[in-house]
Amino acid sequence: MSTTSADPAEHDPARRGADPVDPAEHEPARRVAEHEHAPAQRTAAGPLDELTLTGLEVFAHHGYYDFEREQGQRFVIDTTLWLDTRAAATGDDLDRTVHYGVLAEQIVSAAQSDPVDLIETLAERIAGVVLAYPAVARTRVTVHKPDAPIQVPFVDVSIAITRSRDTWSGVREEVEA
């Protein structure tokens, strides 16, 4: 009968004989990493599901500089929604989930309206659109500005924000109103 050790260093030739690692030293970093990828909340049956829209292209007039507002430019938006889709799947019922086609149109409409200086502000606006859906517990919104006025070669600049229904005051105000 073989026995296995709980110490991963015994199974890693590079770490054999090395000083033991104190897990408490690395706990804060591990907790942050786990939180970043964890769903907003868990249901009784487990973690929430993820619905992702990637690469929504919008031409809009956002930007800090006057020429950005005058000429406009391309923005690309990605969003992930965390929600429980079991009821929709069980009943094959679109009304029990988020209609991603309608959501995509709402995101594009919100992105094209009322120019702002910062992509951070635009991302916050889009998070509000997503979180207005009662089924959505959390969202991650990334706004890409691939044609940003940067004077060195680059591929993309973006902001990614994560907002939860229970911690975002803008949603509470909209829902209560």
Side-chain angles (χ1 to χ4, degrees):
M1 172 183 273
S2 68
T3 60
T4 58
S5 170
D7 182 5
E10 290 183 20
H11 303 287
D12 182 352
R15 291 182 54 202
R16 273 190 212 122
D19 292 335
V21 176
D22 180 3
E25 288 180 26
H26 302 284
E27 187 63 26
R30 189 172 59 103
R31 247 186 282 133
V32 169
E34 288 172 355
H35 173 73
E36 282 299 310
H37 301 289
Q41 61 191 33
R42 297 176 66 87
T43 63
L48 293 172
D49 307 310
E50 296 178 31
L51 173 65
T52 302
L53 289 169
T54 305
L56 295 174
E57 288 201 31
V58 178
F59 188 86
H61 295 267
H62 306 292
Y64 178 78
Y65 298 107
D66 289 340
F67 70 87
E68 291 180 288
R69 295 238 178 157
E70 291 167 9
Q71 297 171 10
Q73 63 192 298
R74 182 172 56 112
F75 296 86
V76 180
I77 301 163
D78 307 324
T79 186
T80 298
L81 296 62
W82 281 268
L83 66 162
D84 185 346
T85 63
R86 287 174 298 165
T90 300
D92 200 25
D93 186 356
L94 180 60
D95 292 333
R96 299 180 104 180
T97 189
V98 174
H99 188 309
Y100 51 79
V102 171
L103 176 60
E105 292 172 5
Q106 291 171 335
I107 290 171
V108 168
S109 178
Q112 289 176 330
S113 68
D114 191 25
V116 295
D117 290 345
L118 305 175
I119 57 175
E120 292 85 345
T121 307
L122 181 57
E124 196 75 31
R125 178 188 297 167
I126 294 165
V129 169
V130 176
L131 289 172
Y133 282 85
V136 178
R138 176 176 154 189
T139 187
R140 178 175 177 85
V141 174
T142 304
V143 175
H144 303 266
K145 190 174 177 180
D147 303 318
I150 297 175
Q151 299 305 311
V152 296
F154 74 104
V155 174
D156 188 23
V157 64
S158 65
I159 181 73
I161 66 170
T162 302
R163 299 294 182 263
S164 296
R165 167 173 305 291
D166 57 351
T167 60
W168 198 59
S169 61
V171 171
R172 280 194 292 266
E173 292 169 7
E174 290 177 21
V175 171
E176 291 173 1

